[in-house]
Amino acid sequence: MTVSPDNGHHREEELAAQVATSLGVPHSTLEGDAAAFWDDARERALRVDFQLAAPPWAMPLAAALRGRSGVATDGLGLDTLAQGGTHYYTESMLGAVGTPDGARELWTRLLGQVMRHATWRTLGRELDDNLKDLARRQFMNEASQFRGHPAEMVLTFYATRTVRGISLTPHAVLGADVATVTPCTDHRVAVACLATDPVEKLHTRIYQALFAKVNATVMGLPSTHDELPAPAITRDRRGLSAEAVRGYERVVTGGPLEPALSSEVRGHLAQGTLAQGLADPTLHRGVLAISLFHLWHERYRDRLTGGDPLEELGLTLPGARTRREAAPTASG
């Protein structure tokens, strides 16, 4: 069973169909309902306790699995510790073990091209600088506990991205409705992966070697790990539907970061062009992150104590106002 990841093309479903045909197993696909986008977004955020900013693409799959007997499988526990690809890792990074240089390079690659620009485009340069500086310091502090270990980079990646991150989809999103396991999530697999020279694992070599031993048929199956050209956008996206955009307009302007929204986002809101703006993945990711923060604040604001933590940053908001000046008063 494959759910559309709402990325504007059919590659995942096509690859899954090829795999199912090769293995002789039945296959079906799911599409999410545009009208349910924000119900799904709220439910997904609750299931992961707001730990991961991601769209609710997996929720239709969770609903389809609800009440079924048996065990569902999702993902592959090899991914992180096998360090199969070169999207995040480089040989120069792996050669910097024992110094902060490798962790700095990993931080830059994790930040990526999308999130590198998302916060300043949605919240402005000053807040972007403050947030990135805080996140970088937290990341480097986490990385320091592994400094000098031969698998320093992969352990840092695991601690900062997998734990309370990508691992939440199978175990919190899907696992709430059906027993879900991730193959190869096993102590012995982890030990074997960590004992393998990190450089030897680059370029998916570990996958080829493993499946050649375990199952040669599986080794030859197509995978999202394959380096394929970017597919053309050929289908509507649920996250850009009229229902989804109306929800973004409502949520993004209904929380504590509203006074700090960038002029670009404010312009789209004022002109009714947010749908066109969200077609840009960078802006979409930033608006999604703000929206999920506002949903978190909506749920937990009655339990927060003290003043506004953003006040400590001393930010100047659009119009040369401080957050304190922008805050509503009893007189309006």
Side-chain angles (χ1 to χ4, degrees):
M1 186 178 293
T2 306
V3 64
S4 166
D6 199 31
N7 51 16
H9 55 77
H10 296 82
R11 172 169 289 170
E12 296 260 353
E13 295 98 314
E14 290 168 352
L15 288 175
Q18 293 175 42
V19 169
T21 299
S22 298
L23 298 179
V25 298
H27 178 249
S28 59
T29 59
L30 296 169
E31 285 281 352
D33 180 4
F37 179 85
W38 278 100
D39 288 339
D40 284 351
R42 288 176 180 273
E43 178 62 21
R44 188 198 183 285
L46 288 171
R47 290 189 181 196
V48 303
D49 196 28
F50 304 90
Q51 293 290 304
L52 179 65
W57 61 266
M59 292 306 297
L61 181 58
L65 293 172
R66 187 176 301 134
R68 294 199 178 198
S69 60
V71 175
T73 62
D74 182 73
L76 186 64
L78 278 171
D79 277 3
T80 296
L81 300 183
Q83 175 215 309
T86 54
H87 186 66
Y88 296 111
Y89 305 106
T90 65
E91 293 200 33
S92 63
M93 181 193 303
L94 299 175
V97 168
T99 75
D101 295 342
R104 290 194 191 101
E105 185 179 348
L106 180 59
W107 159 253
T108 300
R109 294 176 77 87
L110 281 170
L111 193 60
Q113 292 299 323
V114 174
M115 288 310 295
R116 181 173 290 117
H117 303 295
T119 45
W120 72 257
R121 287 188 58 188
T122 50
L123 293 172
R125 290 281 189 182
E126 185 182 6
L127 186 51
D128 173 66
D129 290 341
N130 281 282
L131 289 173
K132 284 198 177 74
D133 181 63
L134 177 62
R136 179 186 54 78
R137 284 187 280 122
Q138 290 176 330
F139 177 87
M140 293 301 293
N141 182 64
E142 192 77 11
S144 66
Q145 66 182 308
F146 306 116
R147 188 74 35 79
H149 191 286
E152 177 182 332
M153 292 302 101
V154 72
L155 288 171
T156 299
F157 182 93
Y158 172 80
T160 57
R161 187 172 185 267
T162 305
V163 178
R164 299 188 309 277
I166 55 177
S167 64
L168 291 171
T169 295
H171 302 298
V173 178
L174 302 180
D177 288 304
V178 66
T180 307
V181 298
T182 299
C184 295
T185 304
D186 181 87
H187 173 75
R188 292 165 296 176
V189 174
V191 169
C193 285
L194 292 175
T196 305
D197 182 353
V199 175
E200 288 299 312
K201 292 189 286 188
L202 286 174
H203 308 296
T204 69
R205 285 194 288 261
I206 195 167
Y207 287 98
Q208 297 166 19
L210 172 71
F211 288 117
K213 278 181 172 290
V214 175
N215 190 321
T217 300
V218 171
M219 182 181 71
L221 295 176
S223 166
T224 52
H225 276 288
D226 298 338
E227 295 181 359
L228 301 170
I233 302 301
T234 57
R235 67 197 297 186
D236 292 336
R237 294 176 58 192
R238 186 164 75 126
L240 297 179
S241 66
E243 294 90 342
V245 173
R246 283 195 294 270
Y248 277 122
E249 291 171 341
R250 183 176 63 254
V251 176
V252 82
T253 57
L257 288 177
E258 188 277 332
L261 293 176
S262 69
S263 58
E264 181 178 2
V265 174
R266 289 182 180 282
H268 282 304
L269 291 168
Q271 297 163 28
T273 57
L274 187 61
Q276 292 92 311
L278 294 178
D280 179 336
T282 298
L283 193 71
H284 199 164
R285 184 70 63 86
V287 170
L288 172 66
I290 293 171
S291 300
L292 290 174
F293 177 78
H294 283 179
L295 292 181
W296 170 86
H297 186 265
E298 177 186 277
R299 180 171 177 80
Y300 290 112
R301 61 189 170 194
D302 293 340
R303 305 179 200 182
L304 301 176
T305 58
D308 183 350
L310 293 178
E311 194 70 52
E312 299 178 13
L313 297 176
L315 300 173
T316 301
L317 304 178
R321 303 169 298 160
T322 64
R323 281 186 57 79
R324 194 179 301 279
E325 291 168 338
T329 63
S331 62

